[in-house]
Amino acid sequence: VQLQASGGGLVQSGGSLRLSCVGSGFNLDYYAVAWFRQAPGKEREAVSCISTHDGSSYVADSVKGRLTLSRNSAENTVYLQMNNTKPEDTAVYYCGIVSGGCSRSWERYVFWGRGTLVTVSS
């Protein structure tokens, strides 16, 4: 069982990025999938979540209007698309799964992938 986050890197402010969260050994459709991020010296922040279990979802106010989550069931992948990036988006991004609906509490998530670093240059 594995959860793999990828797609991070260096992007210029105003640019776009797409992160992937790929599940192996289990079906991501059975879980709510969320992205959290943690910037240096800051607490982990819930960014966005999508659940096919109950249709719940959320997008943090800090990225609202700039971020879209989508699922590709055939690829067992959840994608995070962020446009108009800002230097304050710089962080390590993690994807995690939880049974049932979405939660903004990272403690509820039962499994995490390794983070992927996003750096937005000004």
Side-chain angles (χ1 to χ4, degrees):
V1 175
Q2 192 174 12
L3 202 58
Q4 180 72 43
S6 63
L10 178 64
V11 61
Q12 284 192 330
S13 181
S16 298
L17 60 88
R18 189 175 80 157
L19 306 181
S20 302
C21 179
V22 182
S24 301
F26 66 101
N27 191 335
L28 269 182
D29 285 349
Y30 296 158
Y31 298 89
V33 180
W35 286 93
F36 285 70
R37 67 185 182 185
Q38 189 163 22
K42 295 189 177 181
E43 292 188 356
R44 194 170 293 195
E45 174 190 15
V47 177
S48 189
C49 181
I50 185 170
S51 172
T52 55
H53 175 76
D54 61 1
S56 61
S57 65
Y58 65 74
V59 177
D61 288 342
S62 57
V63 296
K64 196 162 288 183
R66 302 189 291 122
L67 184 146
T68 304
L69 280 196
S70 61
R71 281 184 186 265
N72 185 321
S73 296
E75 297 178 353
N76 208 31
T77 301
V78 169
Y79 294 102
L80 180 155
Q81 174 76 35
M82 187 184 295
N83 302 319
N84 190 24
T85 54
K86 303 177 181 180
E88 51 263 43
D89 295 323
T90 295
V92 178
Y93 285 71
Y94 300 89
C95 62
I97 58 171
V98 62
S99 296
C102 288
S103 172
R104 295 177 188 264
S105 299
W106 67 267
E107 297 91 342
R108 285 204 54 218
Y109 288 78
V110 297
F111 197 69
W112 294 92
R114 288 187 178 182
T116 184
L117 175 63
V118 171
T119 303
V120 181
S121 62
S122 57

